[in-house]
Amino acid sequence: MDLTNTPVLQMLRTRMDWLTARQAVLAENIANANTPGFRARDLSEPDFAAILRGEAAANAAGKVEMVATAPGHIGLSPAAAAAEQRGFTPVERPDSESSPNGNSVVLEEQMMRLSETQMDYSIVTGLYKKTLNLFRLALGRT
């Protein structure tokens, strides 16, 4: 029996993947803070209960992929492409204000979201370590 594939560890790994993808999208927002017309984005929060039940895997099987059919088509940004590969959807989530050039990135709000993501990641990695330590304790290996 592989203890690393237990539902609780799978959920924690999925949460870490989501937080990693969110950090990439937020970093892209910060990098484009001065780009005219850039709209801030964030990742939609996945339904982790559905992931545990296995429903998310079934939904991902019928997923429609974007295809560039002409050389002028613009593809996904690297952060959005990485998030899509992991099964998470970036959505446009403008900040509280927009600049006259149409940019909707507010650095303070993005930095707050980034620090929130970092704190959540620390919590999840701590839970992951504690869970592995409980397995070791139960198996008599300390």
Side-chain angles (χ1 to χ4, degrees):
M1 178 179 171
D2 187 11
L3 293 177
T4 59
N5 287 327
T6 59
V8 69
L9 291 179
Q10 286 177 349
M11 182 186 67
L12 291 172
R13 275 195 304 271
T14 303
R15 182 68 176 175
M16 285 190 281
D17 285 344
W18 183 83
L19 290 167
T20 301
R22 183 178 193 218
Q23 183 177 7
V25 170
L26 293 175
E28 183 179 27
N29 289 346
I30 292 168
N32 288 296
N34 293 325
T35 304
F38 184 82
R39 307 292 295 168
R41 294 179 311 159
D42 202 350
L43 289 186
S44 59
E45 187 82 30
D47 181 10
F48 287 103
I51 290 170
L52 282 179
R53 291 190 304 265
E55 295 172 9
N59 291 340
K63 187 173 153 187
V64 177
E65 295 291 329
M66 287 181 44
V67 177
T69 57
H73 288 173
I74 299 174
L76 288 174
S77 66
E84 288 282 333
Q85 280 183 332
R86 291 185 172 119
F88 308 121
T89 308
V91 293
E92 189 173 298
R93 188 161 294 145
D95 289 339
S96 60
E97 58 190 56
S98 290
S99 64
N101 68 3
N103 189 306
S104 70
V105 177
V106 177
L107 286 175
E108 291 83 6
E109 291 182 25
Q110 294 299 315
M111 295 304 288
M112 284 178 18
R113 290 179 186 162
L114 202 57
S115 66
E116 173 188 305
T117 303
Q118 180 183 7
M119 287 187 303
D120 287 351
Y121 195 87
S122 295
I123 291 169
V124 173
T125 54
L127 286 171
Y128 195 89
K129 289 177 188 176
K130 293 285 185 188
T131 304
L132 290 178
N133 286 338
L134 284 173
F135 286 147
R136 285 188 194 104
L137 182 66
L139 294 172
R141 300 177 192 162
T142 54

